[in-house]
Amino acid sequence: MTHKNFDAIVVGAGMSGNAAAYTMARRGLRVLQLERGEYAGSKNVQGAIMYANMLETIIPDFRNDAPLERHLVEQRFWIMDDTSHTGMHYRSDDFNELSPNRYTIIRAQFDKWFSRKVREAGGTVLCETTATELARDSSGKVIGVHTDRAGDVIQADVVVLAEGVNGLLGTRAGLRETPKPENVALAVKEMHFLPEEVIAERFGMTGDEGCVIEAAGTISRGMPGLGFLYTNRESISLGMGCLVSGLAATMEKPYDLLDGFKRHPSVRPLIAGSEVKEYAAHLIPEGGFKAIPQLFGDGWVVVGDAAQLNNAVHREGSNLAMASGRMAAEAISLINSRGKPMTKHNLSLYKAMLDKSFVMKDLRKYKDMPSLLHTNSRSFFMTYPQLISQAAKNFLRVDGTPKIEMEKATTAAFIKARSRWGLLSDAVRLAFAWR
Amino acid sequence: MKTAIAERIEDKLYQNRYLVDPGRPHIKVRPHQSPSPNLLALTRVCPANCYELNESGQVEITPDGCMECGTCRVLCEASGYIEWNYPRGGFGILFKFG
């Protein structure tokens, strides 16, 4: 006979799982956290930028001992064609504040630290343990999990599914669907190591200041996609992500796209002479608001990437994960402290908290963006970048051609590529999806 | 502009740390006559190049270099062409940086 061992089981030790486990353990709940990797972080991949505010809400003094790489003072957005980039560049000394707003991190190290915090708060963390199936009673209520370790079902009042974008438990139990190819991007990433002072010099940084580059354009060969370059203390995270549906349709190889990005004349000098020490791949939820599944039920809640909580427009994911993990934990703690059962009705408190927060408000704002980028991907990721590059070149090149003719050539190129009506409708649709 | 020869994927995967579970592949391709478009796409789209066409035109998998991203699951699990599981606890890819 099995008995109830824990108040809550958290499946997964990523951002959302650690946030949930820590918050519940701090509030005195008996928490068991399961992680299939050798250590927390060994299966986790992210760019990675960490937004301080959402972690501060959970661990206010995290800056004392969390492994942080560089705090970001500069952001570059690049529109690229094959030989050029047209960029927007924001740098501010205001980001050199006492409590910086964003940092680059290395997930394997950061997650190990976060997991240590969970243990210190009293949570039980069991690594090298893959949860294989949810256990449910005859009414369908989730009552625990089966694992690949010998032994009975591990029982708890509630299971927090923090199992990531490719989580099997919730999908196998029919609580949500497996992500669709058009709703997930495959990102591949390399870690390029360079001496700290070389990185500082190349990007114009002092101390632990950091810089971020996000790039879109012909590098994704007409597919919805994005390249990125993040400076860490003594390495550069360099990656490229494209929608899985786009990759399957074009049969492009993800590492060929990444190689193309690396060899681009704007990127190559930034990583010259680096030593690559790891190659990673990971799916990113891109479906936005419309892809969010049912978030709670009898005996379960789902958080983070598993719940598709990712803001693709602003490239925010781990902060939504931490926020959702914390809110799920707060809802569970509250229900527990009132001595109430973990029913679907009571756990709807979690959804109510999410709805009130930036998480759902931001995702709702951009609910039409994913479909706009899908249907117009060739325009947005191929035609416009080429036109923008041509326009900038026309503007800058001095060769005796009168300026009025240059301007006419630029305008004509835009109209030829997209037509007056096409340009107007793209602008209107973009404005509507953004507002 | 086409550039020089792309880097070999094997050289990239060589940087990674894996603990292979011998004789227990976590992903299997179901027997098939000819591959569906999505199954065929895996021979190009898999970021670890785990899928290959054999001489008789069927898709085969060697999951040793798998990074457990789930792309193949998203493309092919629903159609039943592949069987997808995570490796046993502790096995598979071990990211040093992630």
XYZ file of all heavy atoms in Angstrom, chain A residues 36 38-39 42-46 82 106-108 128 130 148 166-168 171-172 178-181 186 188-191 193 244 247-248 251 253-256 259 262-263 276-281 283, chain B residues 1-7 9 12-13 15-17 37-38 40-41 43-49 67-71 73-75 77 84-98:
772
model
N 15.678 14.512 -14.139
C 16.204 13.336 -14.821
C 17.695 13.431 -15.086
O 18.366 12.428 -15.313
C 15.417 13.063 -16.101
C 15.509 14.135 -17.149
C 14.512 13.949 -18.271
N 14.760 14.939 -19.294
C 15.648 14.811 -20.268
N 16.353 13.702 -20.365
N 15.829 15.760 -21.155
N 21.849 14.339 -14.328
C 22.785 13.987 -13.255
C 22.766 15.055 -12.162
O 22.944 14.773 -10.993
C 24.186 13.865 -13.863
C 25.253 13.393 -12.926
C 26.616 13.367 -13.607
O 27.098 14.429 -14.048
O 27.196 12.279 -13.704
N 22.584 16.306 -12.591
C 22.449 17.412 -11.650
C 21.482 18.408 -12.274
O 21.251 18.374 -13.492
C 23.794 18.089 -11.377
C 24.575 18.421 -12.621
C 24.383 19.625 -13.291
C 25.493 17.505 -13.150
C 25.080 19.928 -14.442
C 26.204 17.798 -14.314
C 25.992 19.007 -14.949
O 26.685 19.300 -16.101
N 21.793 19.928 -16.032
C 22.520 19.099 -17.001
C 21.695 18.801 -18.252
O 22.228 18.338 -19.253
C 22.995 17.796 -16.357
O 21.903 17.037 -15.903
N 20.383 19.051 -18.202
C 19.537 18.835 -19.388
C 18.974 20.147 -19.914
O 18.144 20.140 -20.813
C 18.375 17.903 -19.032
C 18.785 16.510 -18.591
C 19.357 15.700 -19.732
C 19.663 14.282 -19.270
N 20.248 13.477 -20.359
N 19.381 21.262 -19.326
C 18.701 22.527 -19.634
C 19.535 23.415 -20.554
O 20.741 23.532 -20.368
C 18.371 23.272 -18.345
C 17.500 22.430 -17.418
O 16.940 21.427 -17.857
N 17.396 22.812 -16.176
N 18.860 24.008 -21.513
C 19.533 24.862 -22.486
C 18.771 26.183 -22.580
O 17.552 26.197 -22.663
C 19.566 24.201 -23.888
C 20.214 25.134 -24.906
C 20.298 22.863 -23.843
N 19.528 27.278 -22.565
C 18.918 28.591 -22.793
C 19.987 29.486 -23.375
O 21.185 29.173 -23.265
C 18.407 29.173 -21.464
C 17.498 30.396 -21.635
C 17.327 31.159 -20.338
O 17.569 30.638 -19.269
N 16.926 32.413 -20.432
N 22.985 39.214 -46.941
C 24.124 38.294 -46.963
C 25.466 38.953 -46.647
O 26.395 38.294 -46.178
C 24.215 37.601 -48.329
C 23.065 36.635 -48.534
O 22.346 36.367 -47.550
O 22.879 36.153 -49.669
N 24.950 31.175 -17.424
C 25.188 29.856 -18.026
C 24.322 28.878 -17.245
O 24.498 28.698 -16.033
C 26.686 29.515 -17.974
C 27.424 30.462 -18.935
C 26.933 28.057 -18.340
C 28.930 30.392 -18.857
N 23.363 28.301 -17.931
C 22.296 27.583 -17.241
C 22.764 26.423 -16.370
O 22.241 26.224 -15.274
C 21.244 27.097 -18.249
C 20.242 28.159 -18.667
C 19.344 28.624 -17.528
N 18.512 27.558 -16.995
C 17.308 27.265 -17.458
N 16.780 27.948 -18.444
N 16.618 26.284 -16.910
N 23.727 25.644 -16.855
C 24.155 24.499 -16.055
C 24.642 24.965 -14.686
O 24.373 24.327 -13.659
C 25.242 23.714 -16.776
N 18.806 12.213 -11.402
C 18.930 10.950 -12.141
C 17.666 10.108 -12.024
O 17.718 8.893 -11.949
C 20.141 10.159 -11.649
C 21.444 10.921 -11.854
C 22.674 10.070 -11.583
O 22.787 9.565 -10.449
O 23.496 9.917 -12.490
N 13.904 9.833 -13.814
C 12.965 10.267 -14.836
C 11.547 9.899 -14.418
O 11.258 8.723 -14.173
C 13.298 9.616 -16.193
O 14.656 9.912 -16.528
C 12.386 10.133 -17.298
N 11.335 5.959 -13.148
C 12.080 4.814 -13.660
C 12.935 4.160 -12.565
O 13.754 3.302 -12.835
C 12.933 5.219 -14.870
C 13.970 6.270 -14.543
O 13.945 6.803 -13.411
O 14.803 6.570 -15.406
N 9.242 20.041 -24.040
C 9.084 18.683 -24.566
C 8.674 17.714 -23.465
O 9.036 16.542 -23.491
C 10.409 18.246 -25.218
C 10.265 16.953 -25.991
O 9.212 16.682 -26.574
N 11.310 16.151 -25.984
N 7.906 18.186 -22.498
C 7.499 17.345 -21.375
C 6.577 16.219 -21.814
O 5.650 16.429 -22.582
N 6.863 15.015 -21.277
C 6.086 13.843 -21.700
C 4.902 13.554 -20.782
O 3.899 13.012 -21.233
C 6.986 12.603 -21.715
C 8.117 12.569 -22.747
C 8.902 11.270 -22.618
C 7.557 12.686 -24.154
N 1.517 15.454 -21.608
C 0.986 15.106 -22.930
C 0.515 13.656 -22.953
O -0.535 13.346 -23.496
C 2.039 15.346 -24.028
O 3.256 14.702 -23.672
C 2.308 16.820 -24.203
N 1.289 12.758 -22.307
C 0.885 11.344 -22.263
C -0.423 11.169 -21.510
O -1.212 10.282 -21.824
C 1.980 10.509 -21.579
C 3.249 10.464 -22.383
C 3.631 9.046 -22.763
N 4.586 9.093 -23.858
C 5.867 8.796 -23.730
N 6.343 8.381 -22.569
N 6.664 8.866 -24.779
N 0.983 17.632 -27.467
C 2.388 17.797 -27.849
C 2.457 19.050 -28.715
O 1.574 19.280 -29.542
C 2.849 16.576 -28.671
O 2.631 15.397 -27.893
C 4.330 16.674 -29.025
N 3.503 19.891 -28.554
C 3.567 21.108 -29.375
C 3.545 20.796 -30.873
O 4.076 19.772 -31.306
C 4.914 21.732 -28.987
C 5.264 21.140 -27.681
C 4.635 19.786 -27.631
N 2.934 21.677 -31.635
C 2.875 21.519 -33.091
C 4.127 22.132 -33.726
O 4.682 23.097 -33.194
C 1.632 22.212 -33.631
C 0.334 21.589 -33.145
C -0.860 22.193 -33.862
C -2.101 21.341 -33.701
N -2.369 20.986 -32.277
N 4.551 21.601 -34.894
C 5.788 22.096 -35.522
C 5.771 23.600 -35.785
O 6.823 24.244 -35.745
C 5.849 21.321 -36.840
C 5.032 20.090 -36.617
C 3.963 20.465 -35.635
N 13.300 25.449 -33.237
C 14.489 24.693 -32.840
C 15.664 25.663 -32.833
O 15.970 26.275 -33.861
C 14.752 23.551 -33.829
C 16.113 22.855 -33.681
C 16.268 22.208 -32.319
C 16.311 21.810 -34.788
N 19.749 26.112 -32.123
C 21.037 25.450 -31.894
C 22.022 26.524 -31.448
O 21.927 27.677 -31.868
C 21.565 24.706 -33.145
C 20.737 23.462 -33.407
C 21.575 25.606 -34.369
N 22.940 26.134 -30.600
C 23.802 27.127 -29.947
C 25.191 26.564 -29.730
O 25.342 25.387 -29.437
C 23.180 27.496 -28.593
C 23.889 28.607 -27.869
C 23.288 28.843 -26.507
C 24.055 28.086 -25.449
N 23.771 28.545 -24.078
N 26.188 27.403 -29.854
C 27.559 27.010 -29.523
C 28.108 27.932 -28.449
O 27.766 29.119 -28.398
C 28.461 27.104 -30.759
C 28.182 26.042 -31.786
C 29.051 26.193 -33.029
O 29.798 27.193 -33.138
O 28.974 25.324 -33.891
N 28.999 27.392 -27.634
C 29.696 28.192 -26.626
C 31.103 28.463 -27.127
O 31.908 27.533 -27.263
C 29.759 27.437 -25.300
C 28.420 27.343 -24.605
S 27.798 28.949 -24.073
C 28.674 29.155 -22.530
N 34.611 30.172 -26.509
C 35.437 30.704 -25.415
C 36.547 31.615 -25.934
O 37.216 31.299 -26.917
C 36.012 29.555 -24.573
C 35.006 29.033 -23.596
C 33.973 28.205 -24.024
C 35.041 29.410 -22.260
C 33.005 27.744 -23.137
C 34.082 28.957 -21.363
C 33.076 28.125 -21.799
N 10.233 24.917 -36.388
C 10.389 23.532 -36.827
C 9.617 23.290 -38.123
O 10.105 22.600 -39.025
C 9.940 22.560 -35.709
C 9.851 21.137 -36.222
C 10.907 22.637 -34.530
N 11.740 24.527 -40.950
C 12.872 23.635 -41.227
C 12.405 22.399 -41.988
O 13.043 21.966 -42.952
C 13.547 23.212 -39.913
C 14.315 24.305 -39.174
C 14.639 23.871 -37.749
C 15.604 24.658 -39.912
N 11.255 21.835 -41.553
C 10.764 20.621 -42.215
C 10.361 20.911 -43.659
O 10.565 20.079 -44.548
C 9.584 20.045 -41.431
N 13.757 21.745 -45.533
C 14.795 20.724 -45.354
C 16.168 21.353 -45.109
O 17.200 20.777 -45.456
C 14.865 19.786 -46.576
C 13.594 19.018 -46.858
S 13.357 17.624 -45.724
C 14.028 16.280 -46.716
N 19.324 22.354 -42.836
C 19.956 21.779 -41.649
C 20.234 22.889 -40.647
O 20.858 23.895 -40.995
C 21.274 21.104 -42.026
C 21.093 19.890 -42.911
C 22.442 19.262 -43.221
C 22.252 17.970 -43.973
N 23.532 17.355 -44.334
N 19.798 22.718 -39.395
C 19.964 23.798 -38.422
C 21.424 24.221 -38.239
O 21.713 25.407 -38.085
C 19.384 23.228 -37.125
C 19.118 21.798 -37.374
C 19.064 21.569 -38.837
N 22.355 23.255 -38.271
C 23.761 23.628 -38.047
C 24.347 24.315 -39.266
O 25.312 25.062 -39.157
C 24.608 22.421 -37.630
C 24.247 21.133 -38.301
C 24.834 20.757 -39.500
C 23.298 20.294 -37.733
C 24.478 19.561 -40.109
C 22.936 19.107 -38.341
C 23.536 18.745 -39.534
O 23.175 17.580 -40.137
N 23.768 24.100 -40.465
C 24.198 24.879 -41.634
C 23.788 26.346 -41.476
O 24.540 27.253 -41.829
C 23.558 24.334 -42.914
C 24.246 23.078 -43.405
O 25.283 22.705 -42.810
O 23.745 22.466 -44.367
N 26.119 27.856 -39.021
C 27.415 28.113 -39.654
C 27.352 29.358 -40.534
O 28.287 30.151 -40.566
C 27.864 26.903 -40.485
C 28.394 25.786 -39.609
O 28.650 26.047 -38.422
O 28.548 24.660 -40.106
N 27.558 32.326 -38.315
C 28.930 32.490 -37.802
C 29.872 33.068 -38.851
O 30.800 33.801 -38.546
C 29.487 31.136 -37.355
C 29.062 30.716 -35.989
C 29.237 29.233 -35.767
C 30.656 28.748 -36.033
N 30.752 27.291 -35.801
N 29.646 32.673 -40.119
C 30.543 33.124 -41.183
C 30.161 34.481 -41.748
O 30.865 35.025 -42.599
C 30.492 32.115 -42.347
C 31.236 30.855 -42.080
C 30.830 29.800 -43.120
N 30.998 28.478 -42.578
C 32.159 27.841 -42.546
N 33.217 28.387 -43.068
N 32.253 26.659 -42.009
N 35.411 26.489 -29.434
C 34.050 26.025 -29.168
C 34.105 24.840 -28.212
O 34.835 23.890 -28.445
C 33.339 25.625 -30.477
C 31.938 25.106 -30.182
C 33.258 26.812 -31.429
N 33.347 24.937 -27.119
C 33.395 23.859 -26.126
C 32.084 23.100 -25.962
O 32.036 22.119 -25.220
C 33.829 24.419 -24.765
C 35.274 24.908 -24.756
C 35.789 25.095 -23.352
C 37.233 25.596 -23.375
N 37.706 25.959 -22.046
N 31.013 23.591 -26.597
C 29.767 22.822 -26.513
C 28.830 23.230 -27.632
O 28.819 24.379 -28.070
C 29.069 23.044 -25.165
C 27.873 22.113 -24.935
C 27.403 22.146 -23.481
O 26.707 23.109 -23.107
O 27.739 21.226 -22.735
N 28.060 22.254 -28.091
C 27.032 22.464 -29.113
C 25.730 21.937 -28.523
O 25.680 20.795 -28.057
C 27.427 21.700 -30.382
C 26.350 21.588 -31.429
C 25.826 22.719 -32.062
C 25.855 20.337 -31.813
C 24.851 22.600 -33.036
C 24.888 20.211 -32.800
C 24.382 21.345 -33.403
O 23.416 21.225 -34.364
N 24.708 22.776 -28.491
C 23.461 22.395 -27.825
C 22.264 22.672 -28.725
O 22.343 23.489 -29.641
C 23.311 23.176 -26.520
N 21.180 21.983 -28.465
C 19.938 22.208 -29.209
C 18.768 22.180 -28.242
O 18.802 21.466 -27.237
C 19.754 21.138 -30.279
N 14.219 23.197 -28.000
C 13.002 23.771 -28.575
C 12.557 24.979 -27.748
O 12.732 25.007 -26.536
C 11.868 22.749 -28.604
C 12.021 21.556 -29.558
C 10.803 20.648 -29.450
C 12.214 22.012 -30.999
N 25.739 34.604 -51.040
C 27.127 34.165 -51.195
C 27.330 32.811 -50.515
O 27.181 32.666 -49.296
C 28.068 35.203 -50.595
C 29.510 34.989 -50.943
S 30.601 36.226 -50.175
C 30.505 35.789 -48.447
N 27.667 31.802 -51.269
C 27.941 30.480 -50.695
C 29.348 30.487 -50.106
O 30.284 31.007 -50.706
C 27.845 29.398 -51.773
C 26.407 29.067 -52.141
C 25.816 28.073 -51.145
C 24.315 27.954 -51.359
N 23.567 27.708 -50.137
N 29.500 29.915 -48.941
C 30.823 29.900 -48.314
C 31.401 28.482 -48.324
O 30.764 27.550 -48.789
C 30.758 30.420 -46.866
O 29.553 29.949 -46.283
C 30.798 31.919 -46.849
N 32.577 28.378 -47.781
C 33.336 27.125 -47.819
C 32.598 25.962 -47.160
O 31.479 26.118 -46.681
C 34.674 27.351 -47.142
N 33.217 24.838 -47.128
C 32.638 23.604 -46.588
C 32.164 23.815 -45.147
O 32.892 24.341 -44.326
C 33.694 22.471 -46.578
C 34.494 22.470 -47.870
C 33.067 21.121 -46.313
C 35.977 22.597 -47.682
N 30.945 23.398 -44.890
C 30.417 23.542 -43.538
C 31.182 22.614 -42.589
O 31.727 21.600 -43.003
C 28.938 23.197 -43.525
N 31.174 23.006 -41.310
C 31.848 22.170 -40.321
C 31.121 20.841 -40.191
O 29.927 20.767 -40.356
C 31.824 22.882 -38.969
C 32.700 24.096 -38.921
C 32.393 24.940 -37.689
O 32.300 24.366 -36.598
O 32.215 26.150 -37.858
N 29.276 17.897 -38.455
C 28.455 17.815 -37.248
C 29.111 16.904 -36.206
O 29.020 17.144 -35.005
C 27.019 17.350 -37.613
C 26.100 17.353 -36.389
C 26.993 15.988 -38.254
C 25.817 18.708 -35.851
N 31.289 18.799 -33.974
C 30.547 19.590 -32.983
C 30.130 18.697 -31.814
O 30.287 19.060 -30.654
C 29.278 20.165 -33.600
C 29.470 21.313 -34.557
C 28.084 21.762 -35.026
C 28.134 22.696 -36.203
N 28.555 24.044 -35.840
N 29.567 17.524 -32.145
C 29.055 16.638 -31.098
C 30.186 16.108 -30.229
O 29.977 15.770 -29.063
C 28.277 15.469 -31.730
C 27.036 15.875 -32.515
C 26.443 14.667 -33.228
C 25.981 16.501 -31.604
N 32.439 17.679 -28.882
C 32.650 18.585 -27.741
C 31.744 18.233 -26.568
O 32.015 18.630 -25.438
C 32.334 20.038 -28.153
C 33.035 20.530 -29.384
C 34.522 20.649 -29.172
O 34.972 20.812 -28.046
N 35.282 20.537 -30.240
N 30.639 17.565 -26.858
C 29.614 17.348 -25.840
C 29.923 16.135 -24.967
O 30.690 15.261 -25.347
C 28.245 17.155 -26.497
C 27.740 18.403 -27.177
O 28.315 19.477 -27.007
N 26.674 18.276 -27.936
N 29.290 16.106 -23.786
C 29.448 14.983 -22.871
C 28.179 14.146 -22.896
O 27.079 14.691 -22.762
C 29.665 15.546 -21.458
C 30.667 14.785 -20.642
C 30.762 15.419 -19.264
N 30.404 14.423 -18.279
C 29.754 14.672 -17.157
N 29.363 15.885 -16.883
N 29.483 13.710 -16.314
N 6.922 12.290 -45.506
C 7.714 13.520 -45.670
C 8.361 13.997 -44.365
O 9.528 14.375 -44.353
C 6.689 14.540 -46.177
C 5.644 13.734 -46.848
C 5.572 12.431 -46.087
N 7.597 13.960 -43.265
C 8.176 14.424 -41.992
C 9.302 13.515 -41.514
O 10.303 13.977 -40.975
C 7.094 14.510 -40.911
C 6.359 15.838 -40.935
O 6.624 16.674 -41.800
N 5.449 16.030 -40.008
N 11.234 11.717 -43.391
C 12.362 12.004 -44.277
C 13.047 13.321 -43.875
O 14.277 13.437 -43.914
C 11.860 12.093 -45.726
C 12.925 12.060 -46.817
C 13.682 10.735 -46.786
C 12.283 12.267 -48.189
N 12.236 14.297 -43.456
C 12.792 15.600 -43.049
C 13.768 15.444 -41.879
O 14.711 16.217 -41.749
C 11.660 16.560 -42.671
N 16.102 13.455 -41.498
C 17.477 13.224 -41.953
C 18.208 14.547 -42.198
O 19.419 14.574 -42.333
C 17.521 12.387 -43.245
O 16.858 13.104 -44.293
C 16.822 11.046 -43.058
N 17.448 15.647 -42.278
C 18.062 16.969 -42.478
C 17.912 17.844 -41.234
O 18.809 18.611 -40.904
C 17.374 17.704 -43.646
C 17.221 16.902 -44.912
C 18.362 17.086 -45.858
N 18.684 18.476 -46.097
C 19.754 18.871 -46.786
N 20.591 17.966 -47.265
N 19.990 20.145 -46.974
N 16.757 17.757 -40.580
C 16.398 18.720 -39.544
C 16.987 18.372 -38.175
O 17.245 19.261 -37.362
C 14.850 18.830 -39.468
C 14.406 19.640 -38.284
C 14.302 19.433 -40.757
N 17.212 17.095 -37.902
C 17.750 16.702 -36.584
C 19.075 17.426 -36.347
O 20.006 17.297 -37.142
C 17.962 15.195 -36.513
S 18.914 14.701 -35.044
N 19.184 18.208 -35.258
C 20.399 19.004 -35.043
C 21.620 18.166 -34.703
O 22.742 18.671 -34.744
C 20.014 19.923 -33.878
C 18.933 19.196 -33.161
C 18.183 18.423 -34.202
N 21.411 16.891 -34.358
C 22.557 16.017 -34.063
C 22.782 15.013 -35.185
O 23.614 14.116 -35.046
C 22.334 15.279 -32.741
N 22.046 15.158 -36.266
C 22.200 14.274 -37.424
C 22.066 12.799 -37.042
O 22.831 11.960 -37.521
C 23.560 14.536 -38.093
C 23.579 14.090 -39.540
O 22.525 13.925 -40.155
N 24.757 13.871 -40.081
N 20.575 15.260 -28.505
C 20.594 16.322 -27.487
C 19.237 16.460 -26.812
O 18.992 17.413 -26.076
C 21.041 17.628 -28.132
C 22.500 17.565 -28.593
S 23.052 19.086 -29.375
C 22.401 18.888 -31.031
N 18.323 15.513 -27.098
C 17.023 15.424 -26.420
C 16.182 16.687 -26.593
O 15.471 17.102 -25.681
C 17.231 15.078 -24.929
C 17.942 13.741 -24.752
C 18.558 13.535 -23.367
O 18.016 14.060 -22.394
O 19.585 12.831 -23.294
N 16.274 17.290 -27.779
C 15.534 18.536 -27.994
C 14.053 18.287 -28.261
O 13.220 19.109 -27.918
C 16.152 19.335 -29.144
S 15.966 18.596 -30.784
N 13.733 17.136 -28.896
C 12.323 16.815 -29.130
C 11.798 17.202 -30.503
O 10.616 17.010 -30.788
N 12.665 17.727 -31.374
C 12.212 18.113 -32.717
C 11.589 16.931 -33.454
O 10.530 17.059 -34.074
C 13.401 18.669 -33.527
O 13.933 19.791 -32.824
C 12.968 19.102 -34.919
N 10.252 14.325 -32.177
C 8.992 13.961 -31.539
C 7.866 14.854 -32.050
O 6.776 14.381 -32.387
C 9.133 14.098 -30.016
C 7.865 13.792 -29.279
C 8.043 13.835 -27.768
N 6.719 13.696 -27.161
C 6.187 14.555 -26.308
N 6.880 15.616 -25.922
N 4.978 14.378 -25.834
N 8.142 16.152 -32.121
C 7.144 17.125 -32.576
C 6.724 16.828 -34.018
O 5.560 16.971 -34.385
C 7.726 18.551 -32.436
C 6.972 19.554 -33.270
C 7.727 18.972 -30.978
N 7.666 16.391 -34.837
C 7.357 16.148 -36.253
C 6.734 14.777 -36.515
O 5.948 14.635 -37.440
C 8.625 16.303 -37.100
C 9.041 17.737 -37.435
C 10.420 17.765 -38.052
C 8.030 18.397 -38.379
N 5.992 11.934 -33.852
C 5.417 11.014 -32.873
C 3.936 10.746 -33.126
O 3.479 9.601 -33.061
C 5.604 11.536 -31.444
C 5.255 10.496 -30.396
C 5.235 11.067 -28.983
O 4.598 12.121 -28.749
O 5.852 10.451 -28.110
N 9.111 7.689 -28.923
C 9.982 8.662 -28.244
C 9.902 8.514 -26.733
O 8.826 8.487 -26.159
C 9.542 10.071 -28.626
C 10.662 11.075 -28.676
C 11.301 11.520 -29.795
C 11.268 11.749 -27.573
N 12.272 12.426 -29.454
C 12.284 12.588 -28.093
C 11.086 11.715 -26.188
C 13.097 13.399 -27.297
C 11.897 12.519 -25.386
C 12.877 13.352 -25.956
N 11.055 8.406 -26.095
C 11.128 8.426 -24.644
C 12.362 9.217 -24.240
O 13.262 9.407 -25.054
C 11.258 7.005 -24.083
C 9.911 6.325 -23.998
O 9.059 6.690 -23.200
N 9.705 5.342 -24.869
N 12.388 9.649 -22.986
C 13.637 10.207 -22.468
C 14.542 9.049 -22.067
O 14.054 7.974 -21.725
C 13.363 11.113 -21.268
C 12.975 12.511 -21.670
C 11.748 13.056 -21.303
C 13.841 13.288 -22.422
C 11.396 14.344 -21.683
C 13.493 14.570 -22.810
C 12.276 15.094 -22.435
O 11.937 16.363 -22.807
N 15.872 9.260 -22.102
C 16.772 8.225 -21.588
C 16.482 7.987 -20.102
O 15.888 8.850 -19.436
C 18.160 8.832 -21.769
C 17.999 9.978 -22.712
C 16.599 10.451 -22.546
N 16.926 6.853 -19.602
C 16.800 6.603 -18.163
C 17.484 7.720 -17.394
O 18.432 8.335 -17.898
C 17.493 5.281 -17.809
C 16.617 4.070 -18.020
C 17.212 2.878 -17.311
N 18.524 2.501 -17.848
C 19.397 1.732 -17.189
N 19.100 1.298 -15.977
N 20.540 1.414 -17.744
N 17.041 7.934 -16.167
C 17.616 8.997 -15.335
C 19.134 8.929 -15.323
O 19.710 7.864 -15.150
N 19.784 10.074 -15.538
C 21.249 10.155 -15.496
C 21.916 9.884 -16.828
O 23.055 10.296 -17.038
N 21.231 9.191 -17.753
C 21.839 8.884 -19.048
C 21.542 9.974 -20.073
O 20.739 10.862 -19.836
C 21.339 7.525 -19.557
C 21.881 6.364 -18.763
C 21.163 5.827 -17.704
C 23.117 5.810 -19.079
C 21.665 4.765 -16.958
C 23.633 4.751 -18.336
C 22.898 4.225 -17.279
N 22.225 9.858 -21.225
C 21.985 10.805 -22.316
C 22.954 11.971 -22.265
O 24.055 11.876 -21.709
N 22.530 13.088 -22.837
C 23.401 14.275 -22.886
C 23.570 14.881 -21.489
O 22.656 14.851 -20.671
C 22.822 15.342 -23.859
C 23.743 16.563 -23.997
C 21.461 15.833 -23.405
C 24.486 16.643 -25.263
N 24.776 15.382 -21.232
C 25.028 16.089 -19.969
C 25.650 17.434 -20.335
O 26.843 17.509 -20.619
C 26.014 15.298 -19.107
C 25.476 13.986 -18.543
C 26.603 13.024 -18.236
C 24.689 14.279 -17.268
N 24.837 18.477 -20.356
C 25.356 19.784 -20.744
C 26.279 20.339 -19.661
O 25.932 20.333 -18.481
C 24.208 20.755 -21.009
C 23.448 20.441 -22.268
C 22.129 20.025 -22.215
C 24.061 20.553 -23.506
C 21.428 19.736 -23.378
C 23.368 20.263 -24.667
C 22.046 19.847 -24.605
N 27.452 20.807 -20.082
C 28.396 21.439 -19.155
C 28.024 22.911 -18.961
O 28.298 23.521 -17.948
C 29.818 21.391 -19.727
C 30.414 20.014 -19.811
C 31.669 20.016 -20.692
C 31.313 20.098 -22.163
N 32.452 20.037 -23.099
N 27.447 23.504 -20.012
C 27.082 24.926 -19.975
C 25.579 25.109 -20.190
O 24.934 25.813 -19.461
C 27.872 25.694 -21.037
C 29.353 25.441 -20.958
C 29.996 24.656 -21.899
C 30.088 25.966 -19.913
C 31.353 24.408 -21.807
C 31.444 25.720 -19.815
C 32.089 24.943 -20.769
N 25.060 24.470 -21.212
C 23.608 24.454 -21.457
C 23.047 25.747 -22.003
O 23.594 26.799 -21.904
